[in-house]
Short mmCIF file of all heavy atoms in Angstrom, two decimals:
data_model
loop_
_atom_site.label_atom_id
_atom_site.label_comp_id
_atom_site.label_asym_id
_atom_site.label_seq_id
_atom_site.Cartn_x
_atom_site.Cartn_y
_atom_site.Cartn_z
N GLU F 690 0.80 -1.21 0.00
CA GLU F 690 0.00 0.00 0.00
C GLU F 690 0.84 1.27 0.00
O GLU F 690 0.33 2.31 -0.38
CB GLU F 690 -0.90 0.04 1.24
CG GLU F 690 -2.06 -0.91 1.18
CD GLU F 690 -2.97 -0.73 2.38
OE1 GLU F 690 -3.07 0.39 2.90
OE2 GLU F 690 -3.56 -1.72 2.79
N VAL F 691 2.06 1.19 0.46
CA VAL F 691 2.89 2.39 0.57
C VAL F 691 3.89 2.40 -0.59
O VAL F 691 4.84 1.62 -0.60
CB VAL F 691 3.64 2.41 1.92
CG1 VAL F 691 4.48 3.67 2.05
CG2 VAL F 691 2.65 2.29 3.08
N PRO F 692 3.66 3.27 -1.57
CA PRO F 692 4.53 3.28 -2.76
C PRO F 692 6.01 3.44 -2.43
O PRO F 692 6.85 2.84 -3.09
CB PRO F 692 4.02 4.48 -3.56
CG PRO F 692 2.61 4.66 -3.11
CD PRO F 692 2.58 4.25 -1.66
N ALA F 693 6.32 4.22 -1.41
CA ALA F 693 7.73 4.46 -1.06
C ALA F 693 8.45 3.17 -0.66
O ALA F 693 9.66 3.07 -0.77
CB ALA F 693 7.82 5.48 0.07
N PHE F 694 7.69 2.19 -0.20
CA PHE F 694 8.31 0.96 0.27
C PHE F 694 8.14 -0.22 -0.70
O PHE F 694 8.64 -1.30 -0.43
CB PHE F 694 7.76 0.58 1.65
CG PHE F 694 8.18 1.54 2.72
CD1 PHE F 694 7.25 2.31 3.37
CD2 PHE F 694 9.51 1.70 3.04
CE1 PHE F 694 7.63 3.20 4.35
CE2 PHE F 694 9.91 2.59 4.01
CZ PHE F 694 8.97 3.35 4.67
N ARG F 695 7.47 -0.01 -1.81
CA ARG F 695 7.26 -1.09 -2.77
C ARG F 695 8.58 -1.68 -3.26
O ARG F 695 8.77 -2.88 -3.28
CB ARG F 695 6.43 -0.59 -3.94
CG ARG F 695 5.90 -1.70 -4.81
CD ARG F 695 4.88 -1.14 -5.73
NE ARG F 695 3.93 -0.37 -4.91
CZ ARG F 695 2.63 -0.37 -5.08
NH1 ARG F 695 2.11 -1.05 -6.04
NH2 ARG F 695 1.84 0.33 -4.30
N LYS F 696 9.52 -0.81 -3.63
CA LYS F 696 10.82 -1.28 -4.11
C LYS F 696 11.60 -1.93 -2.97
O LYS F 696 12.26 -2.95 -3.16
CB LYS F 696 11.61 -0.11 -4.69
CG LYS F 696 12.92 -0.51 -5.29
CD LYS F 696 13.63 0.67 -5.93
CE LYS F 696 14.94 0.24 -6.54
NZ LYS F 696 15.66 1.37 -7.12
N ALA F 697 11.53 -1.36 -1.78
CA ALA F 697 12.24 -1.91 -0.63
C ALA F 697 11.73 -3.31 -0.29
O ALA F 697 12.53 -4.19 0.07
CB ALA F 697 12.10 -0.98 0.58
N ILE F 698 10.44 -3.53 -0.41
CA ILE F 698 9.88 -4.85 -0.11
C ILE F 698 10.39 -5.88 -1.10
O ILE F 698 10.78 -6.99 -0.72
CB ILE F 698 8.34 -4.79 -0.10
CG1 ILE F 698 7.86 -4.03 1.13
CG2 ILE F 698 7.74 -6.19 -0.13
CD1 ILE F 698 6.39 -3.74 1.15
N SER F 699 10.43 -5.51 -2.37
CA SER F 699 10.95 -6.43 -3.38
C SER F 699 12.41 -6.78 -3.10
O SER F 699 12.81 -7.95 -3.19
CB SER F 699 10.82 -5.78 -4.76
OG SER F 699 11.39 -6.60 -5.74
N HIS F 700 13.18 -5.78 -2.73
CA HIS F 700 14.60 -6.01 -2.41
C HIS F 700 14.74 -6.88 -1.16
O HIS F 700 15.57 -7.79 -1.11
CB HIS F 700 15.32 -4.68 -2.22
CG HIS F 700 16.79 -4.80 -2.04
ND1 HIS F 700 17.63 -5.24 -3.02
CD2 HIS F 700 17.56 -4.55 -0.96
CE1 HIS F 700 18.88 -5.25 -2.55
NE2 HIS F 700 18.85 -4.85 -1.31
N ALA F 701 13.91 -6.62 -0.16
CA ALA F 701 13.95 -7.40 1.08
C ALA F 701 13.62 -8.86 0.82
O ALA F 701 14.25 -9.77 1.38
CB ALA F 701 12.99 -6.81 2.11
N GLN F 702 12.64 -9.11 -0.04
CA GLN F 702 12.30 -10.49 -0.37
C GLN F 702 13.46 -11.19 -1.08
O GLN F 702 13.74 -12.36 -0.82
CB GLN F 702 11.04 -10.52 -1.23
CG GLN F 702 9.79 -10.14 -0.46
CD GLN F 702 8.59 -9.94 -1.35
OE1 GLN F 702 8.71 -9.73 -2.56
NE2 GLN F 702 7.41 -10.00 -0.75
N ALA F 703 14.14 -10.46 -1.94
CA ALA F 703 15.31 -11.03 -2.61
C ALA F 703 16.40 -11.35 -1.59
O ALA F 703 17.09 -12.38 -1.70
CB ALA F 703 15.83 -10.07 -3.68
N GLN F 704 16.56 -10.49 -0.60
CA GLN F 704 17.54 -10.75 0.45
C GLN F 704 17.16 -12.00 1.24
O GLN F 704 18.04 -12.81 1.57
CB GLN F 704 17.65 -9.55 1.39
CG GLN F 704 18.37 -8.38 0.77
CD GLN F 704 18.36 -7.17 1.68
OE1 GLN F 704 17.37 -6.88 2.33
NE2 GLN F 704 19.47 -6.45 1.71
N HIS F 705 15.89 -12.17 1.54
CA HIS F 705 15.45 -13.38 2.26
C HIS F 705 15.83 -14.63 1.47
O HIS F 705 16.37 -15.59 2.03
CB HIS F 705 13.94 -13.36 2.48
CG HIS F 705 13.49 -12.36 3.48
ND1 HIS F 705 12.17 -12.03 3.63
CD2 HIS F 705 14.17 -11.60 4.37
CE1 HIS F 705 12.05 -11.13 4.59
NE2 HIS F 705 13.25 -10.84 5.04
N ARG F 706 15.56 -14.59 0.17
CA ARG F 706 15.90 -15.76 -0.67
C ARG F 706 17.41 -15.99 -0.69
O ARG F 706 17.88 -17.12 -0.64
CB ARG F 706 15.35 -15.57 -2.08
CG ARG F 706 13.83 -15.71 -2.15
CD ARG F 706 13.32 -15.72 -3.59
NE ARG F 706 13.48 -14.44 -4.25
CZ ARG F 706 12.62 -13.43 -4.18
NH1 ARG F 706 11.52 -13.55 -3.48
NH2 ARG F 706 12.85 -12.30 -4.82
N ALA F 707 18.17 -14.91 -0.76
CA ALA F 707 19.64 -15.03 -0.78
C ALA F 707 20.17 -15.58 0.54
O ALA F 707 21.12 -16.37 0.55
CB ALA F 707 20.27 -13.67 -1.08
N ILE F 708 19.57 -15.20 1.65
CA ILE F 708 19.98 -15.73 2.96
C ILE F 708 19.74 -17.23 3.00
O ILE F 708 20.62 -18.00 3.42
CB ILE F 708 19.25 -15.00 4.10
CG1 ILE F 708 19.73 -13.55 4.21
CG2 ILE F 708 19.46 -15.73 5.43
CD1 ILE F 708 18.85 -12.67 5.08
N VAL F 709 18.56 -17.66 2.59
CA VAL F 709 18.24 -19.09 2.59
C VAL F 709 19.20 -19.85 1.68
O VAL F 709 19.72 -20.90 2.05
CB VAL F 709 16.77 -19.33 2.17
CG1 VAL F 709 16.50 -20.81 1.93
CG2 VAL F 709 15.82 -18.77 3.22
N GLU F 710 19.46 -19.30 0.50
CA GLU F 710 20.39 -19.94 -0.43
C GLU F 710 21.78 -20.09 0.19
O GLU F 710 22.40 -21.15 0.10
CB GLU F 710 20.48 -19.15 -1.72
CG GLU F 710 21.47 -19.73 -2.71
CD GLU F 710 21.67 -18.84 -3.92
OE1 GLU F 710 22.02 -17.66 -3.75
OE2 GLU F 710 21.48 -19.35 -5.03
N ALA F 711 22.25 -19.02 0.83
CA ALA F 711 23.58 -19.06 1.45
C ALA F 711 23.63 -20.11 2.56
O ALA F 711 24.61 -20.84 2.69
CB ALA F 711 23.94 -17.68 2.01
N ILE F 712 22.56 -20.21 3.33
CA ILE F 712 22.52 -21.23 4.39
C ILE F 712 22.53 -22.62 3.77
O ILE F 712 23.27 -23.50 4.24
CB ILE F 712 21.28 -21.02 5.28
CG1 ILE F 712 21.45 -19.72 6.10
CG2 ILE F 712 21.06 -22.22 6.21
CD1 ILE F 712 20.18 -19.27 6.81
N GLU F 713 21.74 -22.82 2.73
CA GLU F 713 21.71 -24.13 2.06
C GLU F 713 23.08 -24.51 1.52
O GLU F 713 23.46 -25.69 1.54
CB GLU F 713 20.69 -24.11 0.92
CG GLU F 713 19.26 -24.09 1.37
CD GLU F 713 18.27 -23.92 0.23
OE1 GLU F 713 18.66 -23.52 -0.89
OE2 GLU F 713 17.08 -24.18 0.47
N LEU F 714 23.83 -23.52 1.05
CA LEU F 714 25.16 -23.78 0.49
C LEU F 714 26.26 -23.75 1.55
O LEU F 714 27.44 -23.81 1.23
CB LEU F 714 25.46 -22.75 -0.61
CG LEU F 714 24.57 -22.83 -1.84
CD1 LEU F 714 24.86 -21.68 -2.80
CD2 LEU F 714 24.73 -24.18 -2.55
N ARG F 715 25.84 -23.65 2.81
CA ARG F 715 26.76 -23.62 3.94
C ARG F 715 27.76 -22.45 3.85
O ARG F 715 28.94 -22.57 4.18
CB ARG F 715 27.51 -24.95 4.09
CG ARG F 715 26.57 -26.11 4.37
CD ARG F 715 27.35 -27.40 4.54
NE ARG F 715 26.49 -28.48 4.95
CZ ARG F 715 26.15 -28.78 6.21
NH1 ARG F 715 26.60 -28.04 7.19
NH2 ARG F 715 25.38 -29.80 6.48
N GLU F 716 27.23 -21.32 3.38
CA GLU F 716 28.04 -20.10 3.28
C GLU F 716 27.62 -19.16 4.41
O GLU F 716 26.92 -18.17 4.21
CB GLU F 716 27.83 -19.44 1.92
CG GLU F 716 28.29 -20.30 0.76
CD GLU F 716 27.96 -19.70 -0.59
OE1 GLU F 716 27.07 -18.83 -0.69
OE2 GLU F 716 28.60 -20.12 -1.57
N GLY F 717 28.07 -19.49 5.61
CA GLY F 717 27.66 -18.75 6.79
C GLY F 717 28.02 -17.28 6.77
O GLY F 717 27.22 -16.43 7.14
N ALA F 718 29.22 -16.97 6.33
CA ALA F 718 29.66 -15.57 6.30
C ALA F 718 28.80 -14.77 5.33
O ALA F 718 28.43 -13.62 5.62
CB ALA F 718 31.14 -15.48 5.92
N ARG F 719 28.49 -15.36 4.20
CA ARG F 719 27.63 -14.68 3.21
C ARG F 719 26.23 -14.47 3.78
O ARG F 719 25.66 -13.38 3.66
CB ARG F 719 27.56 -15.49 1.92
CG ARG F 719 26.67 -14.86 0.87
CD ARG F 719 26.76 -15.63 -0.45
NE ARG F 719 25.68 -15.20 -1.32
CZ ARG F 719 24.73 -15.98 -1.77
NH1 ARG F 719 24.71 -17.27 -1.47
NH2 ARG F 719 23.77 -15.51 -2.54
N ALA F 720 25.67 -15.50 4.40
CA ALA F 720 24.34 -15.38 5.00
C ALA F 720 24.33 -14.27 6.05
O ALA F 720 23.40 -13.46 6.11
CB ALA F 720 23.91 -16.71 5.61
N GLU F 721 25.37 -14.23 6.87
CA GLU F 721 25.45 -13.20 7.90
C GLU F 721 25.54 -11.81 7.29
O GLU F 721 24.86 -10.87 7.74
CB GLU F 721 26.65 -13.44 8.81
CG GLU F 721 26.78 -12.38 9.89
CD GLU F 721 28.01 -12.54 10.76
OE1 GLU F 721 28.81 -13.46 10.52
OE2 GLU F 721 28.15 -11.72 11.68
N ALA F 722 26.35 -11.65 6.28
CA ALA F 722 26.51 -10.34 5.65
C ALA F 722 25.19 -9.85 5.04
O ALA F 722 24.82 -8.68 5.19
CB ALA F 722 27.60 -10.40 4.58
N ILE F 723 24.49 -10.75 4.37
CA ILE F 723 23.20 -10.37 3.77
C ILE F 723 22.20 -10.02 4.87
O ILE F 723 21.45 -9.04 4.76
CB ILE F 723 22.66 -11.50 2.87
CG1 ILE F 723 23.61 -11.73 1.69
CG2 ILE F 723 21.26 -11.16 2.36
CD1 ILE F 723 23.35 -13.03 0.94
N ALA F 724 22.17 -10.83 5.94
CA ALA F 724 21.25 -10.56 7.05
C ALA F 724 21.54 -9.22 7.70
O ALA F 724 20.61 -8.48 8.06
CB ALA F 724 21.32 -11.69 8.07
N ARG F 725 22.81 -8.89 7.86
CA ARG F 725 23.16 -7.60 8.46
C ARG F 725 22.70 -6.44 7.56
O ARG F 725 22.17 -5.44 8.04
CB ARG F 725 24.66 -7.51 8.71
CG ARG F 725 25.12 -8.36 9.88
CD ARG F 725 26.65 -8.26 10.06
NE ARG F 725 27.09 -9.13 11.12
CZ ARG F 725 27.13 -8.77 12.40
NH1 ARG F 725 26.74 -7.57 12.77
NH2 ARG F 725 27.56 -9.63 13.31
N GLU F 726 22.92 -6.57 6.26
CA GLU F 726 22.48 -5.52 5.34
C GLU F 726 20.95 -5.40 5.35
O GLU F 726 20.39 -4.31 5.30
CB GLU F 726 22.99 -5.79 3.93
CG GLU F 726 22.65 -4.69 2.95
CD GLU F 726 23.15 -3.31 3.38
OE1 GLU F 726 24.23 -3.21 3.97
OE2 GLU F 726 22.43 -2.32 3.11
N HIS F 727 20.29 -6.53 5.43
CA HIS F 727 18.82 -6.55 5.50
C HIS F 727 18.35 -5.79 6.75
O HIS F 727 17.42 -4.98 6.68
CB HIS F 727 18.33 -8.00 5.52
CG HIS F 727 16.86 -8.13 5.61
ND1 HIS F 727 16.02 -7.82 4.57
CD2 HIS F 727 16.07 -8.54 6.63
CE1 HIS F 727 14.77 -8.04 4.94
NE2 HIS F 727 14.77 -8.47 6.20
N ALA F 728 18.98 -6.05 7.87
CA ALA F 728 18.62 -5.37 9.12
C ALA F 728 18.87 -3.86 9.02
O ALA F 728 18.08 -3.06 9.52
CB ALA F 728 19.39 -5.96 10.28
N ARG F 729 19.96 -3.48 8.37
CA ARG F 729 20.25 -2.05 8.20
C ARG F 729 19.17 -1.37 7.37
O ARG F 729 18.72 -0.26 7.68
CB ARG F 729 21.62 -1.86 7.53
CG ARG F 729 22.78 -2.10 8.44
CD ARG F 729 24.11 -1.77 7.75
NE ARG F 729 25.21 -2.21 8.57
CZ ARG F 729 25.89 -3.34 8.37
NH1 ARG F 729 25.61 -4.12 7.35
NH2 ARG F 729 26.87 -3.68 9.19
N MET F 730 18.75 -2.03 6.30
CA MET F 730 17.72 -1.46 5.45
C MET F 730 16.40 -1.34 6.22
O MET F 730 15.71 -0.31 6.13
CB MET F 730 17.50 -2.32 4.20
CG MET F 730 16.51 -1.70 3.22
SD MET F 730 16.36 -2.61 1.68
CE MET F 730 15.42 -4.02 2.25
N ALA F 731 16.06 -2.35 6.99
CA ALA F 731 14.83 -2.31 7.78
C ALA F 731 14.89 -1.17 8.79
O ALA F 731 13.90 -0.45 8.99
CB ALA F 731 14.63 -3.64 8.50
N ARG F 732 16.04 -0.97 9.39
CA ARG F 732 16.18 0.13 10.36
C ARG F 732 16.05 1.48 9.68
O ARG F 732 15.40 2.39 10.20
CB ARG F 732 17.51 0.03 11.09
CG ARG F 732 17.63 1.11 12.13
CD ARG F 732 18.82 0.90 13.02
NE ARG F 732 18.84 1.94 14.00
CZ ARG F 732 18.71 1.75 15.30
NH1 ARG F 732 18.56 0.55 15.77
NH2 ARG F 732 18.74 2.76 16.12
N ARG F 733 16.65 1.64 8.50
CA ARG F 733 16.52 2.89 7.76
C ARG F 733 15.06 3.17 7.43
O ARG F 733 14.59 4.31 7.56
CB ARG F 733 17.35 2.86 6.48
CG ARG F 733 18.82 3.11 6.69
CD ARG F 733 19.56 3.36 5.37
NE ARG F 733 19.41 2.28 4.40
CZ ARG F 733 20.23 1.24 4.29
NH1 ARG F 733 21.28 1.12 5.09
NH2 ARG F 733 20.03 0.32 3.38
N ASN F 734 14.34 2.15 7.00
CA ASN F 734 12.92 2.32 6.68
C ASN F 734 12.13 2.72 7.92
O ASN F 734 11.28 3.61 7.86
CB ASN F 734 12.34 1.03 6.08
CG ASN F 734 12.87 0.77 4.69
OD1 ASN F 734 13.37 1.66 4.01
ND2 ASN F 734 12.76 -0.47 4.25
N LEU F 735 12.40 2.08 9.04
CA LEU F 735 11.72 2.41 10.29
C LEU F 735 12.02 3.84 10.70
O LEU F 735 11.11 4.60 11.06
CB LEU F 735 12.14 1.44 11.39
CG LEU F 735 11.58 1.74 12.78
CD1 LEU F 735 10.05 1.67 12.77
CD2 LEU F 735 12.17 0.77 13.79
N GLU F 736 13.28 4.23 10.65
CA GLU F 736 13.66 5.59 11.02
C GLU F 736 13.00 6.62 10.11
O GLU F 736 12.58 7.69 10.57
CB GLU F 736 15.17 5.75 11.03
CG GLU F 736 15.82 5.02 12.19
CD GLU F 736 17.34 5.03 12.13
OE1 GLU F 736 17.92 5.47 11.11
OE2 GLU F 736 17.94 4.58 13.12
N TYR F 737 12.88 6.30 8.84
CA TYR F 737 12.21 7.20 7.89
C TYR F 737 10.77 7.44 8.33
O TYR F 737 10.31 8.58 8.40
CB TYR F 737 12.26 6.63 6.48
CG TYR F 737 11.44 7.44 5.51
CD1 TYR F 737 11.92 8.63 4.98
CD2 TYR F 737 10.16 7.02 5.13
CE1 TYR F 737 11.16 9.38 4.11
CE2 TYR F 737 9.39 7.76 4.25
CZ TYR F 737 9.89 8.95 3.74
OH TYR F 737 9.14 9.70 2.89
N VAL F 738 10.06 6.37 8.63
CA VAL F 738 8.65 6.51 9.02
C VAL F 738 8.53 7.26 10.34
O VAL F 738 7.70 8.15 10.48
CB VAL F 738 7.97 5.13 9.12
CG1 VAL F 738 6.60 5.25 9.72
CG2 VAL F 738 7.88 4.49 7.74
N LEU F 739 9.36 6.91 11.31
CA LEU F 739 9.26 7.52 12.63
C LEU F 739 9.69 8.98 12.64
O LEU F 739 9.15 9.78 13.40
CB LEU F 739 10.08 6.74 13.64
CG LEU F 739 9.60 5.33 13.94
CD1 LEU F 739 10.56 4.64 14.91
CD2 LEU F 739 8.19 5.32 14.49
N ASN F 740 10.65 9.34 11.79
CA ASN F 740 11.22 10.69 11.85
C ASN F 740 10.83 11.60 10.69
O ASN F 740 10.96 12.82 10.82
CB ASN F 740 12.74 10.61 11.92
CG ASN F 740 13.20 9.85 13.13
OD1 ASN F 740 12.65 9.99 14.21
ND2 ASN F 740 14.23 9.03 12.96
N SER F 741 10.42 11.05 9.58
CA SER F 741 10.21 11.88 8.40
C SER F 741 8.78 11.90 7.88
O SER F 741 8.37 12.88 7.28
CB SER F 741 11.12 11.40 7.26
OG SER F 741 12.46 11.46 7.65
N ASP F 742 8.05 10.82 8.07
CA ASP F 742 6.72 10.75 7.46
C ASP F 742 5.77 9.98 8.37
O ASP F 742 5.37 8.86 8.08
CB ASP F 742 6.81 10.08 6.09
CG ASP F 742 5.56 10.31 5.24
OD1 ASP F 742 4.57 10.81 5.78
OD2 ASP F 742 5.62 10.00 4.05
N GLU F 743 5.39 10.60 9.48
CA GLU F 743 4.54 9.93 10.46
C GLU F 743 3.15 9.63 9.93
O GLU F 743 2.42 8.84 10.51
CB GLU F 743 4.48 10.75 11.75
CG GLU F 743 5.80 10.75 12.50
CD GLU F 743 5.70 11.37 13.87
OE1 GLU F 743 4.57 11.58 14.36
OE2 GLU F 743 6.76 11.64 14.45
N GLU F 744 2.76 10.24 8.82
CA GLU F 744 1.46 9.94 8.21
C GLU F 744 1.40 8.49 7.73
O GLU F 744 0.32 7.94 7.54
CB GLU F 744 1.18 10.89 7.06
CG GLU F 744 0.92 12.31 7.50
CD GLU F 744 0.65 13.25 6.34
OE1 GLU F 744 0.38 12.76 5.23
OE2 GLU F 744 0.73 14.47 6.54
N LEU F 745 2.56 7.88 7.51
CA LEU F 745 2.59 6.49 7.08
C LEU F 745 2.31 5.51 8.22
O LEU F 745 1.92 4.38 7.98
CB LEU F 745 3.97 6.16 6.49
CG LEU F 745 4.32 6.79 5.15
CD1 LEU F 745 5.75 6.45 4.78
CD2 LEU F 745 3.36 6.30 4.08
N MET F 746 2.49 5.95 9.45
CA MET F 746 2.41 5.03 10.59
C MET F 746 1.11 4.22 10.63
O MET F 746 1.16 3.01 10.80
CB MET F 746 2.64 5.78 11.90
CG MET F 746 4.09 6.22 12.05
SD MET F 746 4.42 7.07 13.59
CE MET F 746 4.45 5.66 14.69
N PRO F 747 -0.06 4.82 10.46
CA PRO F 747 -1.29 4.02 10.52
C PRO F 747 -1.41 3.01 9.37
O PRO F 747 -2.17 2.05 9.45
CB PRO F 747 -2.42 5.05 10.44
CG PRO F 747 -1.80 6.38 10.61
CD PRO F 747 -0.34 6.24 10.31
N ARG F 748 -0.66 3.22 8.30
CA ARG F 748 -0.73 2.34 7.14
C ARG F 748 0.21 1.15 7.23
O ARG F 748 0.23 0.30 6.34
CB ARG F 748 -0.44 3.15 5.87
CG ARG F 748 -1.49 4.24 5.66
CD ARG F 748 -1.19 5.11 4.49
NE ARG F 748 -1.20 4.33 3.26
CZ ARG F 748 -0.73 4.79 2.11
NH1 ARG F 748 -0.21 5.99 2.05
NH2 ARG F 748 -0.77 4.04 1.03
N ILE F 749 1.01 1.10 8.30
CA ILE F 749 1.97 0.01 8.48
C ILE F 749 1.64 -0.70 9.80
O ILE F 749 2.09 -0.30 10.86
CB ILE F 749 3.42 0.55 8.48
CG1 ILE F 749 3.67 1.33 7.20
CG2 ILE F 749 4.42 -0.59 8.63
CD1 ILE F 749 4.97 2.06 7.14
N PRO F 750 0.81 -1.76 9.72
CA PRO F 750 0.31 -2.40 10.94
C PRO F 750 1.38 -2.88 11.91
O PRO F 750 1.20 -2.81 13.12
CB PRO F 750 -0.49 -3.59 10.40
CG PRO F 750 -0.84 -3.23 9.00
CD PRO F 750 0.29 -2.36 8.51
N ALA F 751 2.52 -3.31 11.41
CA ALA F 751 3.57 -3.84 12.29
C ALA F 751 4.13 -2.76 13.23
O ALA F 751 4.72 -3.09 14.25
CB ALA F 751 4.70 -4.45 11.48
N LEU F 752 3.92 -1.49 12.92
CA LEU F 752 4.44 -0.43 13.77
C LEU F 752 3.76 -0.41 15.13
O LEU F 752 4.26 0.21 16.06
CB LEU F 752 4.31 0.92 13.09
CG LEU F 752 5.31 1.17 11.98
CD1 LEU F 752 5.13 2.55 11.39
CD2 LEU F 752 6.73 1.02 12.46
N SER F 753 2.63 -1.10 15.27
CA SER F 753 2.00 -1.17 16.59
C SER F 753 2.89 -1.92 17.57
O SER F 753 2.71 -1.82 18.79
CB SER F 753 0.63 -1.84 16.50
OG SER F 753 0.77 -3.20 16.09
N LEU F 754 3.89 -2.66 17.07
CA LEU F 754 4.82 -3.39 17.93
C LEU F 754 5.99 -2.53 18.38
O LEU F 754 6.76 -2.93 19.26
CB LEU F 754 5.37 -4.61 17.17
CG LEU F 754 4.34 -5.62 16.68
CD1 LEU F 754 5.02 -6.67 15.80
CD2 LEU F 754 3.63 -6.25 17.85
N VAL F 755 6.14 -1.34 17.80
CA VAL F 755 7.27 -0.48 18.10
C VAL F 755 6.91 0.46 19.25
O VAL F 755 5.89 1.13 19.23
CB VAL F 755 7.67 0.36 16.87
CG1 VAL F 755 8.78 1.34 17.20
CG2 VAL F 755 8.07 -0.55 15.73
N VAL F 756 7.77 0.48 20.24
CA VAL F 756 7.60 1.39 21.39
C VAL F 756 8.56 2.55 21.20
O VAL F 756 9.75 2.35 21.01
CB VAL F 756 7.89 0.65 22.71
CG1 VAL F 756 7.76 1.62 23.88
CG2 VAL F 756 6.98 -0.54 22.87
N ARG F 757 8.05 3.75 21.27
CA ARG F 757 8.89 4.93 21.07
C ARG F 757 9.31 5.52 22.36
O ARG F 757 8.73 5.53 23.34
CB ARG F 757 8.15 5.97 20.26
CG ARG F 757 7.96 5.51 18.85
CD ARG F 757 7.13 6.45 18.08
NE ARG F 757 7.91 7.65 17.83
CZ ARG F 757 7.52 8.61 17.04
NH1 ARG F 757 6.39 8.53 16.42
NH2 ARG F 757 8.24 9.66 16.85
#
């Protein structure tokens, strides 16, 4: 529903697939690196919503889990 995050969601899904692939191939360091980058992107997205565009907050149900 949020156009600003449509591209990010697609990228995040690709990262999930890459993490699983790395684990299957027993490439622990690669899986860790992808997971860390994934977490950084998620944090940037969260910070954007919390600090730059609070109008998005009601449109992102998972934010009800975030305590400010």
Side-chain angles (χ1 to χ4, degrees):
E690 286 185 31
V691 181
F694 292 116
R695 193 167 309 221
K696 184 176 180 182
I698 289 172
S699 176
H700 186 67
Q702 290 170 340
Q704 287 175 320
H705 289 168
R706 288 188 292 274
I708 291 167
V709 170
E710 178 187 55
I712 291 169
E713 289 173 344
L714 295 174
R715 298 181 174 274
E716 297 175 340
R719 179 174 167 242
E721 179 184 1
I723 296 166
R725 287 178 183 273
E726 184 56 36
H727 179 71
R729 285 185 189 100
M730 185 175 74
R732 183 170 182 116
R733 281 192 303 269
N734 289 341
L735 175 62
E736 288 173 352
Y737 173 79
V738 171
L739 294 177
N740 300 320
S741 301
D742 196 349
E743 291 189 13
E744 291 179 15
L745 290 175
M746 290 181 77
R748 297 176 63 193
I749 304 172
L752 286 181
S753 64
L754 301 173
V755 176
V756 178
R757 291 175 72 171

